[in-house]
Amino acid sequence: MDVQIWSDVACPWCYVGKRRFEKAVERFREEGGDVQVTYRSFELSPDTPVDFEGDEVDFLARHKGMAREQVVGMLAQMTEVASDEGLDYDFAALQHTNTVLAHRLLHHARAEGRQEEMKERLLAAYFVEGRHVGRVDDLADLAAEVGLDRDVVVAALSGDAYLEQVRADQEQAMALGIRGVPFFVLDDRLGVSGAQDPDTFLGALRRAAEEQPA
């Protein structure tokens, strides 16, 4: 079964949703199912500068019009939710940035057969390790860690490689009516919105499998 997942590297619910979906996929495969995942590009804040001056509280307070106290409480709650999935979020160390280069890198990784590894590496780098994921050299270092050729990545990201594919993903998301991420499309027929629990994902996988044409 083909599963396409629209998400953003800078989306905390996308990492949580990834973990929950992976649990469902593991159970689905134990039942004899098969899943092939493709990650699609979605920018939550395309106008974000590469080097944002301030921390995550500053970003949400300024750009989302939220009170700082509200942001602090929201991030604390998000940290607890992530912890339940085995993810150690560190919003104090997080370096907010523009993610278009990261999305281009994910398309390159897909062409090289390493997209799932690259997606995991980027999410961990951003939310757990506080590494920068918006500059060419930093992204090339992360790409090398998953086995991609660093020099090839630098060359690709220094030009316009894969930008057309990123924009195509975003246009497709608009056509499908996707307004938030994560968003999962199973077998081009069934959509699941949000970081659902594993049982919900498993139910959707089963349903999509049952409805596949003979």
Side-chain angles (χ1 to χ4, degrees), residues 111-141:
E112 298 294 324
R114 296 289 180 88
Q115 192 187 47
E116 290 196 52
E117 299 96 313
M118 193 72 255
K119 182 70 171 184
E120 176 67 26
R121 190 69 197 91
L122 286 169
L123 288 167
Y126 187 72
F127 285 108
V128 178
E129 301 167 15
R131 293 177 66 170
H132 203 293
V133 299
R135 297 186 294 240
V136 172
D137 285 341
D138 296 281
L139 288 169
D141 288 341

Side-chain angles (χ1 to χ4, degrees), residues 111-190:
E112 298 294 324
R114 296 289 180 88
Q115 192 187 47
E116 290 196 52
E117 299 96 313
M118 193 72 255
K119 182 70 171 184
E120 176 67 26
R121 190 69 197 91
L122 286 169
L123 288 167
Y126 187 72
F127 285 108
V128 178
E129 301 167 15
R131 293 177 66 170
H132 203 293
V133 299
R135 297 186 294 240
V136 172
D137 285 341
D138 296 281
L139 288 169
D141 288 341
L142 292 170
E145 291 180 22
V146 302
L148 295 173
D149 188 306
R150 190 184 189 284
D151 292 337
V152 172
V153 169
V154 169
L157 297 185
S158 295
D160 292 328
Y162 303 103
L163 181 59
E164 183 177 345
Q165 289 89 330
V166 171
R167 299 306 181 218
D169 282 355
Q170 295 168 333
E171 290 174 6
Q172 188 177 2
M174 291 182 63
L176 291 172
I178 298 172
R179 296 292 180 264
V181 288
F183 195 94
F184 303 74
V185 177
L186 284 56
D187 209 29
D188 286 326
R189 293 178 294 106
L190 180 62

